[in-house]
């Protein structure tokens, strides 16, 4: 979780156990939510109607929303390119993708709906 927080909000320095310099903010979660806001609003609106008519449950609607948000967040992590990695980071990682080193953070994005 701390890597996601460091990358989303940025650091002044010393992220990843003090072995790195400052990390610029790369607000992948906010970007994903902002870019897909209308889609989520439409799902919640149609979901409310489905719940009201008895054709769906709150748990089912929230699960659909979770699946969408998870996929959108993972896609944002994959596609985000700005701000770019520093040349030193690219050399150390062997990759210029700012939020992908091993794919661990992207794979860790999940959702949970409690009944």
């Amino acid at each position: 979780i701390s890597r996601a927080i460091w990358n989303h909000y940025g650091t002044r320095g010393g992220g990843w156990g003090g072995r790195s310099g400052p990390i610029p903010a790369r607000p992948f979660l906010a970007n994903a939510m902002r870019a897909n806001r209308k889609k989520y609003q439409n799902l919640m609106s149609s979901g409310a109607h489905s719940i009201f008519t008895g054709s769906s449950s709150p748990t089912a609607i929230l699960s659909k929303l979770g699946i969408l948000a998870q996929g959108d967040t993972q896609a944002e992590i994959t596609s985000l390119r700005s701000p770019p990695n520093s040349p030193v980071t690219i050399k150390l990682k062997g990759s210029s993708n700012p939020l992908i080193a091993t794919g661990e953070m992207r794979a860790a994005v999940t959702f949970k709906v409690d009944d």
Side-chain angles (χ1 to χ4, degrees), residues 7-103:
N7 277 292
H8 191 275
Y9 293 105
T11 69
R12 291 190 178 133
W16 279 295
R19 297 185 300 269
S20 68
I23 298 169
R26 294 182 176 104
F28 62 91
L29 184 57
N31 291 349
M33 297 303 106
R34 189 173 19 273
N36 295 286
R37 178 185 207 153
K38 194 68 171 167
K39 180 170 60 173
Y40 304 148
Q41 288 173 335
N42 290 339
L43 175 63
M44 294 304 291
S45 178
S46 65
H49 183 298
S50 297
I51 292 165
F52 182 74
T53 62
S55 62
S56 193
S57 70
T59 301
I61 300 303
L62 290 174
S63 292
K64 286 180 185 178
L65 182 62
I67 290 166
L68 280 176
Q70 176 180 325
D72 293 337
T73 302
Q74 290 171 329
E76 178 64 20
I77 289 169
T78 302
S79 66
L80 189 138
R81 296 289 186 265
S82 180
N85 282 331
S86 73
V88 171
T89 301
I90 292 170
K91 187 174 181 177
L92 289 170
K93 273 177 50 172
S95 168
S96 61
N97 190 319
L99 295 178
I100 303 290
T102 65

